[in-house]
Amino acid sequence: MHTGKGDAAKRAKTRRRIPVAIDASDISCGFEVGNDFERFSQIDDVFARSRYDPVVHSERSELFFSTYRKPLTEWRAAKGFQQNDYAFRNATWHVADVFAEMHESRDRRDGFLDPLSMLRDGASEQVDLGTPTAAAAMIKHAARTAGADLVGVTAYDHRWTYTERFSVKASGAKPNDLPDGLNHVIVIGQAMDATLIETSPSALSGAATGMGYSQDAVVLLTIAQYLRNLGYQAVPSMNDTALAVPYAIQAGLGEYGKHGLVITPEFGTSVRFGKIFTDAPLAHDRPISFGVKEMCEICSACVTGCPSKAIPDGAPTAERHNRSNLQGVTKWSIDGEKCFSYWTKINNDCSICVRVCPFTRDYTSAKNRLWLRLAGSPLRRLALWLDRREGRGARRQAATWWPSPSE
Ligand code: SF4
Ligand code: SF4
């Protein structure tokens, strides 16, 4: 049964507070979980709040969401925000939207508030997958073949599971039911198109986000169905059910950055993450370190680049900007209210912090791989200086992304 916000707040008080020991492996992941830690409720997520909380909800936020549904309107008289840009952006969201809207009459938004559910029954008996190491290698191989750019595996960690999901119908909380025994989490990374991100902020850059979600949905459903066909449980999840960032870090896919995002050695910050909860016995990966924390200590490109001043500079802190931040975790945190407010001003999601981060570069280039080694060495200041000198991260005019009429 769905409950309203008042009930949710009471239940949250009783269910969120769990004593936790400080875990050294968390510190190596870039966050330190304190004894006052409380699990996060999805009703506090800034996107959920944009539906009911007057602090976040406004005419502008209504307009922001409506731009994803009205392809014949030109929403801003600015280059990169014209009808063709919105038409493409909205098309890239189409696959993710189909799954999200499929069961709206049942108060589900698959992939955003609820797990992806378009799955068939699997085998009634479990196939022996061999050793956990062999099983993990097999799943990763299948995932990459299905389109995943990055794959890692880690242990289920109850701390990152939402205390409740957000219910659109109730404009409040509903239970977050996850079957017992799903002790392993496969984390999938989808690289976002670098040339689109270069145009941020523009409606065109939102196409990188839309494609990330749509491709993520396809890969997550494919691998979840594969696991079910082998006789195992699998729950594919995008933004729903649990926080993705700590899982991506624990699964060894990247390090935590000052802009609150994961930075990977393959694509920098330009990645989206999904996850699959499963009972298939898989070997786990370990967190990695390649100099991100040390670079963030001397860099502030995202801080100065952020138009809404949502990214503070300075050391990690447990201070919360507002209720959309995690309670009881010492880390770098952004102000989601300020960030979302900017999105509603430009009628598009913003990826400026992704674009300006020096780690966001094309690592198929030997020069950039060399830069990454320099960035992870004591010569990181030189790496930062080189990044600024070469002008990487400058905004590309969206009009230059489309072929010119003569091409
Ligand atoms: S997405 Fe844009 S507004 Fe939000 S934190 Fe990043 S740079 Fe700032
Ligand atoms: S822009 Fe600089 S400070 Fe911000 S996340 Fe990237 S490396 Fe860290």
Side-chain angles (χ1 to χ4, degrees):
M1 192 176 79
H2 301 153
T3 57
K5 291 190 287 292
D7 290 344
K10 276 185 222 149
R11 280 196 302 135
K13 278 272 175 263
T14 54
R15 288 172 51 197
R16 280 191 221 164
R17 246 179 215 288
I18 49 172
V20 283
I22 292 175
D23 183 341
S25 65
D26 287 343
I27 297 168
S28 70
C29 287
F31 40 82
E32 187 179 324
V33 180
N35 282 323
D36 58 342
F37 172 74
E38 294 183 5
R39 283 167 57 212
F40 191 70
S41 168
Q42 199 177 19
I43 66 169
D44 289 333
D45 177 88
V46 79
F47 295 106
R49 291 175 62 203
S50 72
R51 290 181 180 265
Y52 69 85
D53 181 348
V55 174
V56 182
H57 177 90
S58 65
E59 276 181 24
R60 287 224 66 102
S61 69
E62 292 271 345
L63 180 66
F64 167 80
F65 287 114
S66 70
T67 68
Y68 287 82
R69 299 288 173 272
K70 295 182 180 172
L72 295 181
T73 309
E74 193 159 309
W75 293 102
R76 285 187 75 202
K79 286 180 180 163
F81 291 91
Q82 293 173 357
Q83 188 181 323
N84 195 33
D85 304 307
Y86 280 109
F88 182 49
R89 182 200 70 173
N90 294 359
T92 64
W93 276 94
H94 181 63
V95 171
D97 285 345
V98 165
F99 292 118
E101 293 164 8
M102 195 170 265
H103 303 303
E104 276 186 331
S105 61
R106 292 197 275 131
D107 192 26
R108 290 185 62 92
R109 277 185 64 76
D110 281 20
F112 295 91
L113 303 176
D114 302 272
L116 293 161
S117 61
M118 288 301 289
L119 292 160
R120 297 175 197 277
D121 288 344
S124 53
E125 282 181 32
Q126 292 182 344
V127 172
D128 181 357
L129 302 179
T131 66
T133 303
M138 194 167 70
I139 299 294
K140 287 179 184 179
H141 182 62
R144 288 196 194 98
T145 305
D149 291 308
L150 300 173
V151 198
V153 183
T154 188
Y156 172 76
D157 190 329
H158 192 55
R159 298 174 300 178
W160 313 135
T161 304
Y162 299 144
T163 51
E164 306 106 344
R165 303 182 192 282
F166 179 69
S167 156
V168 174
K169 200 169 163 192
S171 209
K174 64 180 182 180
N176 183 9
D177 298 323
L178 197 59
D180 290 334
L182 306 185
N183 295 328
H184 311 276
V185 183
I186 302 162
V187 186
I188 305 276
Q190 295 299 138
M192 294 192 288
D193 186 282
T195 61
L196 289 167
I197 294 291
E198 280 170 7
T199 70
S200 183
S202 71
L204 200 51
S205 72
T209 316
M211 276 195 292
Y213 276 113
S214 290
Q215 289 164 351
D216 207 18
V218 171
V219 175
L220 291 169
L221 279 167
T222 303
I223 299 307
Q225 187 62 51
Y226 171 49
L227 285 159
R228 287 164 76 106
N229 293 348
L230 294 170
Y232 295 92
Q233 296 185 74
V235 176
S237 161
M238 297 204 302
N239 289 6
D240 55 279
T241 307
L243 300 166
V245 165
Y247 274 127
I249 295 168
Q250 288 172 337
L253 298 185
E255 268 194 79
Y256 190 67
K258 193 184 281 180
H259 50 11
L261 302 168
V262 180
I263 297 178
T264 68
E266 293 85 357
F267 308 105
T269 301
S270 191
V271 195
R272 302 216 71 82
F273 293 103
K275 52 217 180 285
I276 300 172
F277 300 91
T278 183
D279 57 355
L282 304 172
H284 298 164
D285 296 295
R286 298 183 63 79
I288 57 171
S289 171
F290 58 102
V292 168
K293 177 174 171 289
E294 294 79 5
M295 179 63 89
C296 286
E297 285 167 355
I298 60 166
C299 171
S300 56
C302 54
V303 177
T304 51
C306 175
S308 66
K309 306 285 169 242
I311 309 174
D313 217 343
T317 163
E319 202 177 312
R320 299 166 80 201
H321 303 288
N322 52 62
R323 55 186 275 213
S324 289
N325 292 114
L326 265 176
Q327 161 70 38
V329 183
T330 299
K331 64 182 184 67
W332 284 304
S333 298
I334 75 151
D335 185 331
E337 288 180 6
K338 286 183 180 169
C339 173
F340 182 68
S341 166
Y342 179 68
W343 293 20
T344 66
K345 282 193 190 113
I346 62 168
N347 291 331
N348 191 61
D349 65 270
C350 159
S351 302
I352 295 174
C353 49
V354 176
R355 166 169 64 82
V356 299
C357 179
F359 286 100
T360 300
R361 44 180 71 227
D362 174 10
Y363 291 106
T364 59
S365 142
K367 184 177 128 225
N368 286 335
R369 289 198 299 276
L370 196 61
W371 180 90
L372 187 65
R373 289 179 63 180
L374 197 64
S377 78
L379 295 176
R380 62 184 61 87
R381 281 187 192 278
L382 174 61
L384 198 54
W385 180 81
L386 287 171
D387 182 72
R388 286 171 189 158
R389 189 164 173 269
E390 70 185 345
R392 188 224 48 84
R395 184 186 183 194
R396 175 180 177 173
Q397 286 302 315
T400 68
W401 187 86
W402 293 103
S404 69
S406 58
E407 283 182 50

